[in-house]
């Protein structure tokens, strides 16, 4: 059988039995749902986060934190097949008052860290065809959002990382994709709602109503809706999807 036929013969099935996965931001709202989804599909799942129990604790804004995380999984599990880059932090402020340190921190967690994680995991992910990387992007990967200059710039950059890695990974049967969630009611979102309410001088309930109304269906996206798409992208049947970003935003990106 020719090599490409061998790869295509794997291109079916939803099961992640026998696969080892690593999820960053695993103690967060979406991270927990991703861990559950991949586990349900049969993968052995390792989580990493700067805080939280039952996960590998590391500061993933640094090169060393990302290298140690990958080394830990490889020494524990002996392999790594699926990498989900999902950690994030947020800071909201008008651009002219945006603290330099927050600009650095947000970019480090959401763009620089994922680069180091991918680089550290590359040889394990490309050892055999079928490796998978999924990056949590955002609606902020496509458009500007007032008071979120660092997050918006980092999330735009993350798509550049995904595209280049996808082109270079394809020859190894590795796929790299992103998902772009709309607003989800997680801890991170709650902090942001409070900051937006203070900055706009309105109540949290009013800000919640504004965020909900910005999404078709007038609701938040459920973290399980996003995790399900990540689970699909991580599965064998998604082998033909590479270098793209799938919105999970209830249709928000469909409006002009
Ligand atoms: N919540 C939303 O509305 C929304 C919208 C669009 C995209 N997203 C994306 O979804 C992903 C998950 O977000 P969430 O809503 O679950 O947020 P969350 O705050 O609940 O989880 C983020 C996790 O990242 C971890 N983290 C932060 N800094 C870290 C560091 N230096 N090292 C290691 N871990 C660190 C936090 O401890 C936290 O557990 C993020 O990539 C985010 O950008 C979220």
């Amino acid at each position: 059988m020719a090599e490409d036929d061998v790869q295509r013969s794997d291109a079916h099935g939803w099961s992640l039995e026998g696969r080892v996965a690593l999820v960053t931001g695993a103690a967060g709202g979406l991270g927990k749902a991703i861990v559950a989804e991949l586990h349900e599909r049969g993968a052995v799942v390792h989580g990493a986060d700067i805080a939280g129990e039952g996960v590998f604790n590391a500061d993933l804004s640094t090169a060393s934190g990302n290298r140690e995380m990958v080394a830990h999984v490889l020494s524990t599990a002996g392999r790594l097949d699926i990498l989900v880059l999902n950690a994030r932090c947020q800071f909201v402020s008008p651009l002219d008052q945006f603290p330099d340190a927050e600009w650095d921190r947000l970019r480090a967690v959401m763009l620089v860290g994922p680069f180091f994680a991918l680089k550290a995991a590359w040889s394990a992910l490309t050892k055999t065809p079928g490796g998978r990387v999924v990056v949590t992007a955002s609606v902020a990967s496509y458009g500007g959002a007032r008071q979120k200059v660092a997050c918006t710039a980092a999330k735009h950059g993350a798509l550049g990382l995904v595209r280049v890695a996808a082109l270079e990974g394809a020859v190894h049967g590795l796929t790299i994709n992103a998902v772009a969630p709309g607003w989800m009611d997680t801890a991170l979102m709650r902090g942001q709602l409070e900051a937006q309410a203070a900055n706009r001088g309105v109540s949290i309930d009013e800000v919640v109503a504004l965020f909900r109304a910005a999404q078709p269906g007038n609701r938040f996206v459920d973290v399980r809706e996003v995790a399900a798409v990540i689970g699909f992208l991580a599965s064998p049947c998604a082998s033909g999807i590479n270098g793209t970003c799938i919105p999970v935003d209830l249709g928000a990106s469909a409006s002009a």
Side-chain angles (χ1 to χ4, degrees), residues 24-31 48-51 58-61 85-89 105 109-110 136-140 151 155 180-189 192 220 223:
T24 72
L30 178 57
D49 202 296
I50 197 164
D59 180 355
L60 301 178
S61 67
L85 298 168
N86 169 71
R88 98 137 175 203
C89 50
R105 183 174 74 103
V109 172
M110 294 184 281
T136 309
S138 169
V139 287
C151 173
K155 291 292 186 183
W183 307 122
M184 300 174 289
D185 195 0
T186 61
L188 181 144
M189 189 63 191
Q192 202 178 135
F220 286 102
V223 287

Side-chain angles (χ1 to χ4, degrees), residues 18-98:
R19 304 252 146 192
V20 173
L22 169 59
V23 180
T24 72
L30 178 57
K32 284 182 183 154
I34 299 168
V35 169
E37 172 74 27
L38 299 182
H39 179 70
E40 215 169 280
R41 286 171 180 259
V44 172
V45 191
H46 294 257
D49 202 296
I50 197 164
E53 292 186 6
V55 296
F56 181 75
N57 290 127
D59 180 355
L60 301 178
S61 67
T62 65
S64 59
N66 282 282
R67 287 181 196 132
E68 284 160 20
M69 166 185 77
V70 171
H72 170 76
V73 173
L74 291 177
S75 68
T76 309
R79 59 186 291 165
L80 176 58
D81 308 286
I82 298 162
L83 177 62
V84 182
L85 298 168
N86 169 71
R88 98 137 175 203
C89 50
Q90 182 60 285
F91 193 88
V92 180
S93 161
L95 187 149
D96 62 327
Q97 295 155 41
F98 210 93

Side-chain angles (χ1 to χ4, degrees), residues 151-217:
C151 173
T152 303
K155 291 292 186 183
H156 273 63
L159 291 192
L161 177 66
V162 164
R163 290 179 180 126
V164 173
L167 293 174
E168 296 186 14
V171 70
H172 304 288
L174 171 68
T175 71
I176 295 106
N177 292 291
V179 294
W183 307 122
M184 300 174 289
D185 195 0
T186 61
L188 181 144
M189 189 63 191
R190 280 285 143 182
Q192 202 178 135
L193 292 170
E194 284 163 22
Q196 292 265 0
N199 287 348
R200 294 176 192 215
V202 296
S203 72
I204 291 190
D205 284 349
E206 283 171 290
V207 177
V208 168
L210 279 175
F211 274 87
R212 288 174 60 118
Q215 303 199 128

